[in-house]
Amino acid sequence: ASCVDTVYFQPEQGTLITVVKADPLRDSQITIDGSTQYLNDTVDCELTVLRGQNGVEHPAFAWMKGGCIHILGFKDQGYLVKICGWSAKVMAYHTLQNSTCGLCGNYDGEPSNDIRFRDGIIIDPPQQRQIDSTYGND
């Protein structure tokens, strides 16, 4: 089983990408603005051009490697989303600095303000020992 089985992200205004992991991984689906495609026709490391509604190409590629799904966006500012068994990582090109928001923070170089609720309240990020004691990794 996987802790992370559905990932949502919005690479640009008006575009929503949803990734639903499956077992086996090649049966996972990627949905862009309501249009779904699968990576099951690809082999490990083969790039797939992502398509949105009416088959319009989205400026991103997806591929599988090492048990993970990778999505690389390349329009204007680049990003990489890597979804593995227990984690989802988001890496953004430096031109996105100070213009992101969400679960991964706002990319302003100050980790103390990364966990912000919709109402604007900021909480302190947990320390590793708090995470370990909460999830049994003492």
Side-chain angles (χ1 to χ4, degrees):
S2 170
C3 178
V4 178
D5 58 6
T6 303
V7 174
Y8 304 90
F9 64 101
Q10 187 174 10
E12 60 192 16
Q13 188 70 26
T15 299
L16 177 65
I17 298 178
T18 306
V19 180
V20 180
K21 282 182 46 188
D23 187 19
L25 189 65
R26 69 178 177 270
D27 291 339
S28 299
Q29 66 184 30
I30 298 173
T31 303
I32 301 176
D33 297 332
S35 180
T36 300
Q37 67 187 88
Y38 297 85
L39 297 176
N40 61 349
D41 293 331
T42 64
V43 296
D44 204 30
C45 297
E46 182 176 317
L47 295 178
T48 298
V49 175
L50 297 182
R51 299 180 188 280
Q53 291 180 346
N54 301 318
V56 174
E57 288 186 3
H58 183 74
F61 292 112
W63 70 96
M64 296 180 294
K65 181 179 179 190
C68 300
I69 297 171
H70 301 77
I71 298 175
L72 176 67
F74 51 85
K75 180 182 177 186
D76 299 330
Q77 300 113 355
Y79 62 87
L80 175 66
V81 177
K82 181 178 178 182
I83 305 162
C84 298
W86 287 92
S87 68
K89 295 182 181 179
V90 178
M91 293 157 261
Y93 193 65
H94 68 76
T95 57
L96 289 172
Q97 193 164 2
N98 295 312
S99 65
T100 64
C101 63
L103 185 61
C104 295
N106 59 12
Y107 193 25
D108 66 353
E110 182 55 55
S112 66
N113 67 8
D114 281 350
I115 302 177
R116 179 186 310 259
F117 291 103
R118 289 183 181 176
D119 62 5
I121 294 174
I122 298 171
I123 64 169
D124 292 330
Q127 302 298 313
Q128 187 62 45
R129 66 180 179 277
Q130 292 170 310
I131 296 169
D132 290 345
S133 65
T134 301
Y135 293 101
N137 296 327
D138 292 327

